[in-house]
Amino acid sequence: MRRTMVAGNWKMHGTRASVAELIDGLRNLNLPKDVEIAVFPSELFIDRVINGLEDAPILVGAQDAAIESKQGALTGEISPEQLVGAGCKFVLIGHSERRLILGESNETLNRKFAAAQASGLTPVLCIGETLEQREAGQTLEVVERQLNAVIDEFGIDVLASAVIAYEPVWAIGTGLTATPQQAQDVHAAIRAQLAQKNPEVAQGVRLLYGGSVKAANAVELFSMPDIDGGLIGGASLNADEFGAICRAAGN
Ligand code: PGA
């Protein structure tokens, strides 16, 4: 059985004051035990969030990590090994904001993916099509290409210790959510694609949906058979809303 996961991507949000408030709110939530819950703060606040959530059933991940797993001379970067040392469990790889705004290539992302796994971080590999690609009927081709970039280089078995997040770019931060059926269709196609290569990995890997998930649409999305939880942006900045989404993922 795949354990449902709800992950909160805080992106480049937060001040010392707002992060302290968010930590307080998260500590007081009533959270389901059967859901794995994680938050991804700005790297500036990771240490503080890990300390603040020490007794809460919430894990912490990073939004990015360096292409080398060990610490060294790489100005401005944070290595996976450092993140593990700080207490991080996960790292986002290939979020569309990094692919599209910062121009991160599959080659760079592959190096980050490998460096993360080498240090014991679980990569959350983000994939998804733009509106233009969806309208051109290229959705499945695009996500397949993004996944194959990893599989062709490292083999499918590396996905046994990763999480995949399908996030249609047109649904991120726009208030437009994929319908549960639209999301399910892509998730099912991803799982089928993986199953051709390794059925066991396909059955075991968690596929999260991301893109304007909120408490009001979470139950419906999470009830689809191939949606194993969500990657939540905007709504994860409000502790009560995030708590409600986590409960929607519980049984
Ligand atoms: P959103 O962001 O929930 O604000 O749409 C999702 C994401 O980018 O992970």
Side-chain angles (χ1 to χ4, degrees):
M1 263 308 275
R2 300 184 293 269
R3 188 167 179 214
T4 307
M5 178 173 185
V6 174
N9 173 12
W10 295 0
K11 307 193 180 184
M12 197 172 62
H13 290 288
T15 60
R16 286 169 70 95
S18 72
V19 167
E21 200 181 313
L22 193 44
I23 291 171
D24 256 1
L26 291 172
R27 288 167 57 92
N28 291 322
L29 290 175
N30 174 18
L31 293 169
K33 295 210 171 13
D34 55 340
V35 179
E36 184 161 65
I37 301 168
V39 292
F40 294 71
S42 147
E43 298 198 357
L44 185 60
F45 300 118
I46 280 180
D47 216 29
R48 185 182 295 239
V49 174
I50 286 172
N51 289 332
L53 296 179
E54 211 166 30
D55 308 320
I58 302 178
L59 301 169
V60 177
Q63 296 172 20
D64 185 34
I67 52 173
E68 299 286 350
S69 68
K70 299 200 179 308
Q71 54 177 300
L74 198 50
T75 303
E77 293 296 286
I78 301 180
S79 76
E81 192 186 72
Q82 289 175 307
L83 291 167
V84 169
C88 281
K89 303 289 182 209
F90 300 96
V91 61
L92 301 183
I93 303 280
H95 190 281
S96 61
E97 286 151 14
R98 300 200 64 88
R99 288 181 191 265
L100 300 174
I101 303 173
L102 298 171
E104 285 193 351
S105 64
N106 283 332
E107 193 192 348
T108 299
L109 295 174
N110 276 358
R111 291 185 70 182
K112 291 186 173 186
F113 186 98
Q117 284 196 333
S119 311
L121 282 179
T122 299
V124 178
L125 179 67
C126 304
I127 57 176
E129 82 286 4
T130 62
L131 184 59
E132 205 181 10
Q133 291 165 332
R134 172 160 285 260
E135 285 173 347
Q138 296 167 344
T139 299
L140 298 183
E141 189 187 316
V142 169
V143 296
E144 184 165 357
R145 200 174 337 119
Q146 289 168 332
L147 270 181
N148 278 344
V150 172
I151 296 170
D152 290 349
E153 183 156 349
F154 305 115
I156 179 133
D157 290 358
V158 295
L159 294 179
S161 26
V163 175
I164 296 169
Y166 167 61
E167 299 201 299
V169 177
W170 49 272
I172 295 179
T174 56
L176 287 177
T177 321
T179 64
Q181 193 58 52
Q182 275 177 324
Q184 164 61 23
D185 288 349
V186 179
H187 283 226
I190 293 170
R191 212 180 292 284
Q193 182 211 338
L194 298 178
Q196 285 177 356
K197 300 188 163 108
N198 184 329
E200 218 173 297
V201 171
Q203 270 318 303
V205 70
R206 289 179 292 182
L207 304 182
L208 312 185
Y209 168 78
S212 298
V213 177
K214 35 190 182 295
N217 59 23
V219 173
E220 260 198 297
L221 284 162
F222 298 163
S223 67
M224 301 311 272
D226 287 295
I227 300 183
D228 306 312
L231 178 55
I232 323 299
S236 72
L237 295 170
N238 177 307
D240 290 335
E241 178 81 8
F242 186 63
I245 294 169
C246 293
R247 288 191 293 277
N251 269 323

